[in-house]
Amino acid sequence: MPGKKNLRMKAARAAVGLSQADLAQAVGVTRQTIGLIEAGGYNPTLNLCVAICKALRVTLNDLFWEDGIDVDPDAL
């Protein structure tokens, strides 16, 4: 089941002037992987998320945190 599109990642990538292929090469994955992440069809590992954030010079929260989600610490 596909996830939610990651338009923030696409916008951050465009803001630094990188194509999907450029970003993929910078983080060691295929262009298809970057496309799938942006389309919501692939859930990247934490290590890949960190690498993407470093390449785009943004934080994990900037790209991957969904606003409006309340976490109940007792449920964890």
Side-chain angles (χ1 to χ4, degrees), residues 1-74:
M1 182 165 133
K4 191 173 180 183
K5 287 186 180 182
N6 193 331
L7 299 178
R8 291 178 285 186
M9 184 172 136
K10 184 175 183 177
R13 179 177 54 75
V16 295
L18 294 178
S19 67
Q20 287 182 347
D22 294 333
L23 179 57
Q25 184 175 14
V27 301
V29 298
T30 65
R31 181 204 55 79
Q32 289 85 353
T33 299
I34 299 300
L36 283 169
I37 294 168
E38 290 180 355
Y42 179 75
N43 188 13
T45 65
L46 181 56
N47 286 340
L48 180 52
C49 290
V50 169
I52 290 168
C53 288
K54 285 181 179 180
L56 297 178
R57 297 183 294 269
V58 295
T59 68
L60 284 168
N61 285 351
D62 291 337
L63 293 189
F64 298 104
W65 187 258
E66 293 190 29
D67 294 330
I69 294 179
D70 293 324
V71 176
D72 179 4
D74 294 328

